[in-house]
Amino acid sequence: MAKKSEVKLLGAWPSPFVLRARIALNIKSVDYEFLEENFQPKSQLLVQSNPVYKKIPVLIHQDKPICESLIIVQYVDDVWSSDGPSILPADPYDRAVARFWATYVDDKLFPAMKSIAGAKGEEERKRLIKEVEEGLALLEDAFNKITTKGNNNYLFFGGDQIGYLDIAFGSLLGWLRVTEISNGVKLFDQVKTPGLVNWAESFSSHGAVKDVMPQTHNLLEFAKTLMTKMAHTN
Ligand SMILES: N[C@@H](CCC(=O)N[C@@H](CS)C(=O)NCC(=O)O)C(=O)O
C-alpha cells in the first residue's frame, strides 16, 4: 500500500477525467491526497506538472507527474499491478478492443455530447443529440459483444469487475445525465440501450465508484453557474 504522501492527485470534483483517475486508484486501494485545482488562475503546481496541456488530472507519484486521464489509469494498473483486480484486460486482443472504444469515447462521443450545450439553434442541437444517440447505439452493440462470452453474460465491459473501458466511459455518466436533463431528452433508455442502462446502474453503485462519482444535481448547479459566467464574458 502506497503512503499517502507519495501519491497526490491534482483535480477538480466535477471533472469526468479526474474521476477516471480516482476510480483507478480506488480499485487498487491506493491512498492518495486530493488537491483541488480551482483554475483561478491555474496553480503553479498544475502549470509545472503539465506544462504541455495545463489540464487536470495530474497524478503525482513520488514527485513525478503523470498526465492524461487514460494514461494515468494505465499507470495505476502497471504500478499497483498486484493490488486488486487488473484494470486492463489480460488478453492482447481484448486490451486493443478496450483501448479502441476508450479512444472512441474521447474522440467522438464526448466531444459531440459537450457541443450540445453550445449548439447554435434548434437544428444543430437536434443534429448533435442524434449524433450522441447513434454513438451510444454503437457502444450498446460493443457492450453486447464484449460482455457475451460463451454462455456467460458479464456485468461490465471488464467482465466481473470494472475495467479500462468501464472507467473511460462510466466517468462520463454524470455529464450524460446532465445533458439529458438540460435538453429534456433520454439518450439512454431500456428500449434503445438496455444493456448500457443496466451497466450504468451497476457501474454507478460499484464500491470504487459510488463515493467519488459527483451527484447529478451538483453537476447541474455547476453547469448553470458555468453557463451564466460564459454568458457574461461573451
Ligand atoms: N484529455 C485530457 C482532458 C483533460 C481535461 O479536459 N481536463 C479539463 C477539466 S475536465 C481541464 O483541465 N481544463 C482546463 C483547460 O482546458 O484549460 C485527459 O483525458 O486527461
Side-chain angles (χ1 to χ4, degrees):
M1 160 91 64
K3 280 198 244 101
K4 197 166 190 167
S5 57
E6 279 183 357
V7 187
K8 296 186 171 83
L9 180 66
L10 189 51
W13 69 266
S15 166
F17 302 107
V18 171
L19 183 57
R20 289 174 174 171
R22 303 194 85 170
I23 294 170
L25 290 163
N26 282 351
I27 289 176
K28 298 293 186 175
S29 306
V30 177
D31 212 1
Y32 64 96
E33 186 181 348
F34 189 70
L35 307 173
E36 185 87 28
E37 171 69 39
N38 68 14
F39 295 115
Q40 291 175 341
K42 287 185 181 180
S43 69
Q44 192 64 12
L45 183 61
L46 174 59
V47 176
Q48 269 169 9
S49 315
N50 188 355
V52 176
Y53 297 115
K54 303 178 184 68
K55 288 186 180 191
I56 51 167
V58 180
L59 182 76
I60 303 171
H61 181 212
Q62 294 170 339
D63 296 324
K64 288 179 298 207
I66 302 101
C67 305
E68 286 292 312
S69 60
L70 291 177
I71 294 176
I72 294 172
V73 171
Q74 295 179 58
Y75 178 84
V76 168
D77 200 27
D78 287 341
V79 172
W80 290 280
S81 55
S82 50
D83 302 79
S86 287
I87 294 175
L88 273 147
D91 176 79
Y93 182 73
D94 294 345
R95 281 164 101 93
V97 169
R99 286 181 171 132
F100 170 84
W101 285 109
T103 304
Y104 166 82
V105 165
D106 276 8
D107 289 357
K108 298 278 282 184
L109 190 67
F110 189 63
M113 195 177 102
K114 210 171 146 189
S115 55
I116 295 175
K120 290 181 186 62
E122 196 48 20
E123 207 174 300
E124 187 178 334
R125 195 179 71 96
K126 283 199 175 133
R127 183 182 58 75
L128 289 164
I129 289 173
K130 190 156 177 276
E131 197 176 315
V132 173
E133 283 171 340
E134 286 168 0
L136 288 170
L138 288 176
L139 264 176
E140 171 80 12
D141 279 352
F143 177 80
N144 291 329
K145 282 199 189 101
I146 293 170
T147 57
T148 310
K149 285 205 168 111
N151 291 330
N152 292 326
N153 283 312
Y154 292 101
L155 262 188
F156 300 108
F157 287 100
D160 287 330
Q161 280 299 323
I162 60 176
Y164 186 69
L165 180 52
D166 297 287
I167 297 175
F169 178 38
S171 296
L172 307 183
L173 282 173
W175 284 104
L176 199 77
R177 291 178 188 129
V178 168
T179 308
E180 290 188 319
I181 296 169
S182 314
N183 290 278
V185 287
K186 266 287 180 215
L187 297 166
F188 246 29
D189 66 36
Q190 283 292 359
V191 178
K192 288 185 285 193
T193 54
L196 290 183
V197 168
N198 295 339
W199 163 82
E201 252 177 52
S202 309
F203 178 82
S204 306
S205 55
H206 188 280
V209 178
K210 63 180 186 335
D211 295 336
V212 284
M213 184 134 170
Q215 299 282 321
T216 307
H217 65 269
N218 290 334
L219 288 177
L220 261 172
E221 254 336 284
F222 177 82
K224 273 188 209 147
T225 314
L226 204 67
M227 295 300 271
T228 314
K229 268 192 203 152
M230 277 161 66
H232 284 303
T233 48
N234 287 335

